[in-house]
Amino acid sequence: MADIERIESAAVDRLRAAPDLDRLRELETELTGKQSELSGAKRALGGLGPDERREAGLALNRVRAAVSEAADGRRAELEAAARATRVAAERLDLTEVRAERSAGHLHLVTQTMEELEDVFVGMGFEVAEGPEVEDDWHNFTGLNLPAFHPARDMQDTFFVDRGEPGDVVLRTHTSPVQLRVMAEQGPPIYVVIPGRVHRNEARDATHLATFHQIEALVVDRGITFGHLAGTIEAFTRAYFGAGFSSRLRPSYFPFTEPSAEFDIQRPDGSWLELGGCGMVHPNVLRNGGIDPEQFTGFAFGFGIDRLALTRHGVADLREILSVDVRFLEQF
């Protein structure tokens, strides 16, 4: 916690002292990028206990907000000063000034994924990752989807020409990582799993062959459906804001029982379907090497691409793949 407070104080002081906009942009990258102390502190959360990790995660979220506020405030000051200088000099016809080329920035999906990770880390979760090329057992059979199970038809699959025919695939969801975490780590498990997935589907306004998902997995003693509902509600308010809420509707997924779809309610009263959830099926716990008589768990997940575009009012998922600078520089 002392390191986090020191990082916050130093970062805010340096941002407030930035002499110009170029230096401010450099500082933002230096202080919040992947090689920054802040990112290093985030990665170090995995070595803490659950209570310490939750406290430190909340503190890191506070630091990010303070750094962002300091950067925005200094940017406003510098931009106002620059405008005043231009007006005083009366040397520029602003109708003929060509905008400077942008140095580039993270893609909208990457921005959204990192924002979601930060929210879950602030709730006490760790980030887990896994391979995109998976074997059939991790992608299907171990998740209670044995060969010829009708639910496999819900996930059109790209098969990889390796090993036995049909045994290696491009993962169709991020859930195989659940089995890997269960086997490697064991309970208690509180992880969030972001990543890219692939399904053999024709591209249209609502479907892509390659897209992104994020899901959360909790396995511990005494976990109930009430914990699932409460976690989804806490996530909804933390990510979307206090004016949003959530609801669960009965559904079916082979790897959870009971299962549900969860929706979020916007401040205007309308509902948006976000993803699926449920209590981890006992067969899946067994396949992960966990005794379902001793431990229970829940999981929920949703697509990142549609969420990112919905927040900005973009209706066509194919825009995610756009290389049109006029579209990309809006975000």
Side-chain angles (χ1 to χ4, degrees), residues 182 186-187 189 219-222 280-297:
M182 289 182 199
I189 297 171
V219 179
D220 207 341
R221 296 182 186 274
V280 180
H281 198 288
N283 290 344
V284 176
L285 291 174
R286 292 190 189 94
N287 291 335
I290 295 175
D291 184 358
E293 298 296 327
Q294 299 293 322
F295 297 94
T296 53

Side-chain angles (χ1 to χ4, degrees), residues 207-220:
H207 298 86
L208 294 176
T210 297
F211 52 101
H212 301 80
Q213 290 183 338
I214 189 167
E215 62 183 270
L217 170 69
V218 170
V219 179
D220 207 341

Side-chain angles (χ1 to χ4, degrees), residues 20-323:
D20 53 49
L21 290 171
D22 289 337
R23 180 54 181 158
L24 180 62
R25 282 191 288 268
E26 292 174 0
L27 282 173
E28 286 185 280
T29 300
E30 178 184 336
L31 295 172
T32 63
K34 290 190 176 181
Q35 302 304 317
S36 67
E37 281 192 289
L38 196 58
S39 295
K42 176 181 173 182
R43 290 190 293 270
L45 293 180
L48 302 177
D51 292 337
E52 293 176 320
R53 184 166 59 247
R54 184 176 298 106
E55 182 182 359
L58 291 172
L60 283 175
N61 281 347
R62 189 196 69 246
V63 172
R64 283 188 175 276
V67 169
S68 177
E69 182 180 352
D72 290 344
R74 185 55 179 160
R75 183 180 297 105
E77 293 174 359
L78 292 171
E79 290 175 345
R83 284 194 299 270
T85 300
R86 288 197 298 269
V87 170
E90 295 183 346
R91 290 183 290 112
L92 295 177
D93 180 356
L94 298 182
T95 62
E96 297 180 3
V97 173
R98 182 179 179 182
E100 296 180 2
R101 289 185 177 274
S102 170
H105 57 269
L106 295 177
H107 190 276
L108 174 60
V109 171
T110 305
Q111 295 178 39
T112 304
M113 188 179 297
E114 292 190 352
E115 290 173 6
L116 289 166
E117 288 179 8
D118 288 344
V119 170
F120 279 109
V121 167
M123 294 170 63
F125 287 76
E126 298 179 45
V127 178
E129 296 179 339
E132 290 185 33
V133 179
E134 272 290 7
D135 57 77
D136 178 274
W137 191 86
H138 282 93
N139 196 78
F140 289 123
T141 305
L143 294 171
N144 208 34
L145 280 160
F148 308 112
H149 193 290
R152 288 201 182 199
D153 292 339
M154 299 163 58
Q155 301 184 21
D156 296 332
T157 308
F158 286 109
F159 293 92
V160 178
D161 186 12
R162 185 175 180 181
E164 295 297 321
D167 191 49
V168 181
V169 303
L170 294 182
R171 67 181 182 187
T172 59
H173 46 186
T174 50
S175 299
V177 184
Q178 292 189 22
L179 291 172
R180 295 184 178 276
V181 171
M182 289 182 199
E184 295 169 7
Q185 175 179 326
I189 297 171
Y190 294 82
V191 297
V192 58
I193 307 163
R196 184 167 53 183
V197 300
H198 312 266
R199 296 187 187 177
N200 189 12
E201 298 184 359
R203 284 192 330 194
D204 58 31
T206 58
H207 298 86
L208 294 176
T210 297
F211 52 101
H212 301 80
Q213 290 183 338
I214 189 167
E215 62 183 270
L217 170 69
V218 170
V219 179
D220 207 341
R221 296 182 186 274
I223 297 297
T224 68
F225 199 87
H227 292 119
L228 166 62
T231 302
I232 290 177
E233 180 69 10
F235 159 74
T236 300
R237 294 181 181 275
Y239 183 71
F240 294 97
F244 289 77
S245 60
S246 62
R247 71 179 179 187
L248 303 182
R249 294 178 289 108
S251 186
Y252 167 77
F253 301 103
F255 27 78
T256 53
E257 178 59 38
S259 303
E261 298 277 359
F262 69 94
D263 309 326
I264 59 172
Q265 187 178 34
R266 305 180 181 94
D268 64 5
S270 62
W271 291 91
L272 172 67
E273 181 181 326
L274 197 60
C277 62
M279 300 298 292
V280 180
H281 198 288
N283 290 344
V284 176
L285 291 174
R286 292 190 189 94
N287 291 335
I290 295 175
D291 184 358
E293 298 296 327
Q294 299 293 322
F295 297 94
T296 53
F298 67 74
F300 65 92
F302 49 88
I304 296 176
D305 310 69
R306 183 174 287 110
L307 173 64
L309 292 183
T310 298
R311 292 182 73 189
H312 295 280
V314 181
D316 194 328
L317 270 180
R318 289 170 293 192
E319 295 289 358
I320 285 289
L321 307 176
S322 174
V323 294

